[in-house]
């Protein structure tokens, strides 16, 4: 069979959605998997699809976790590429320099206050966007789910529980630490938006 067209891919995606696969990115991984299998079969699309599902539907749905892992792996790969990109390298350097200047001229206490305000605003913005997709738009993404919740949970323990600024006395190291937290949060949010836009366009 020739390569499946957009309408046929959307048909598979809708079928999987109706079968209980809620996460958009997981359905996309599954759809690609099913499409590749059907393209290797001979005959009409619907006949091949029915034949494939009769033989593999139970196995396919049971392997949902594997597709979730594949989707998350892609998400964290995107995050890694974002963090080492030239743009985000420049952002990290500018943040480090700016925070070093604040610490030098205003003192560590003032820098901590500014850091906590900006950190809180970024986290609130991320969660508003996250809950909008889940609560209002009713769009679920396995990658963004794990990416955001894992990143925010890790940073919560580092920033709010461990308080590294109590241990770090060197002003340069302190400015790099603050800059990295901002840089990481911005990279996570940027990746989150990029992935959502990518998935929205996939079968539009």
């Amino acid at each position: 069979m020739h390569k499946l067209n957009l309408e046929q891919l959307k048909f598979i995606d809708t079928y999987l959605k109706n079968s209980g696969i809620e996460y958009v990115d997981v359905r996309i991984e599954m759809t690609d998997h099913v499409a590749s299998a059907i393209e290797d079969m001979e005959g009409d699309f619907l006949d091949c699809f029915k034949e494939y599902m009769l033989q593999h539907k139970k196995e396919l749905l049971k392997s949902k976790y594997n597709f979730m892992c594949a989707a998350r792996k892609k998400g964290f790969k995107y995050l890694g590429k974002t963090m080492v990109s030239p743009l985000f390298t420049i952002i990290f350097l500018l943040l480090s320099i700016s925070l070093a200047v604040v610490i030098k001229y205003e003192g560590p206490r003032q820098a901590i206050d500014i850091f906590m305000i900006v950190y809180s605003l970024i986290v609130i913005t991320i969660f508003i966007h996250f809950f909008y997709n889940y609560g209002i738009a009713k769009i679920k993404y396995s990658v963004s789910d794990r990416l955001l919740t894992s990143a925010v949970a890790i940073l919560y323990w580092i920033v709010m529980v461990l308080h590294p600024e109590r241990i770090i006395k060197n002003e340069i190291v302190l400015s790099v630490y603050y800059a990295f937290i901002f840089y990481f949060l911005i990279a996570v949010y940027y990746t989150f938006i990029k992935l959502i836009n990518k998935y929205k366009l996939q079968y539009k």
Side-chain angles (χ1 to χ4, degrees):
M1 180 181 287
H2 56 78
K3 190 172 179 63
L4 300 189
N5 59 39
L6 183 60
E7 186 179 342
Q8 290 167 334
L9 292 172
K10 288 176 76 172
F11 177 88
I12 298 171
D13 180 73
T14 301
Y15 179 88
L16 292 171
K17 182 179 181 181
N18 293 335
S19 297
I21 308 301
E22 295 182 326
Y23 286 122
V24 176
D25 46 352
V26 176
R27 286 205 313 272
I28 287 172
E29 291 293 328
M30 284 187 169
T31 299
D32 288 344
H33 177 80
V34 174
S36 295
I38 292 175
E39 285 169 357
D40 291 335
M41 298 169 69
E42 294 294 333
D44 177 72
F45 166 71
L46 284 176
D47 290 337
C48 292
F49 177 76
K50 289 174 184 176
E51 182 183 341
Y52 179 84
M53 282 302 170
L54 279 172
Q55 296 177 15
H56 302 286
K57 181 178 180 180
K58 189 178 290 186
E59 171 192 340
L60 184 70
L61 296 180
K62 278 185 178 179
S63 63
K64 180 172 67 174
Y65 178 76
N66 294 332
F67 288 100
M68 289 177 72
C69 288
R72 287 173 204 165
K73 187 177 179 181
K74 282 186 179 180
F76 283 100
K77 189 176 180 180
Y78 268 100
L79 176 60
K81 286 182 178 179
T82 298
M83 292 180 72
V84 299
S85 67
L87 173 62
F88 273 79
T89 301
I90 292 170
I91 289 173
F92 176 66
L93 291 173
L94 290 175
L95 285 169
S96 297
I97 293 168
S98 300
L99 287 162
V101 170
V102 172
I103 291 172
K104 182 175 178 61
Y105 292 101
E106 300 295 333
R109 184 66 260 170
Q110 184 70 13
I112 291 171
D113 291 341
I114 293 172
F115 170 79
M116 291 307 299
I117 291 170
V118 178
Y119 171 82
S120 299
L121 288 173
I122 294 173
V123 171
I124 289 169
T125 301
I126 288 173
F127 271 107
I128 287 173
H129 199 155
F130 178 77
F131 286 113
Y132 168 80
N133 277 283
Y134 268 63
I136 299 175
K138 302 292 183 183
I139 302 172
K140 296 184 178 182
Y141 299 94
S142 171
V143 171
S144 58
D145 183 348
R146 296 300 182 272
L147 192 63
L148 286 183
T149 52
S150 298
V152 172
I154 291 168
L155 290 180
Y156 173 81
W157 279 96
I158 292 173
V159 175
M160 306 301 291
V161 178
L162 297 179
H163 292 290
E165 70 275 3
R166 295 175 181 173
I167 304 168
I168 302 171
K169 301 303 179 184
N170 185 287
E171 292 182 353
I172 295 176
V173 176
L174 191 61
S175 64
V176 170
Y177 156 69
Y178 287 146
F180 180 80
I181 298 294
F182 286 147
Y183 153 80
F184 182 70
L185 270 176
I186 294 168
V188 167
Y189 188 43
Y190 175 84
T191 304
F192 167 69
I193 293 172
K194 189 174 179 180
L195 284 169
I196 286 177
N197 290 336
K198 174 182 178 293
Y199 290 133
K200 280 181 179 177
L201 291 171
Q202 190 107 10
Y203 298 135
K204 190 174 180 181

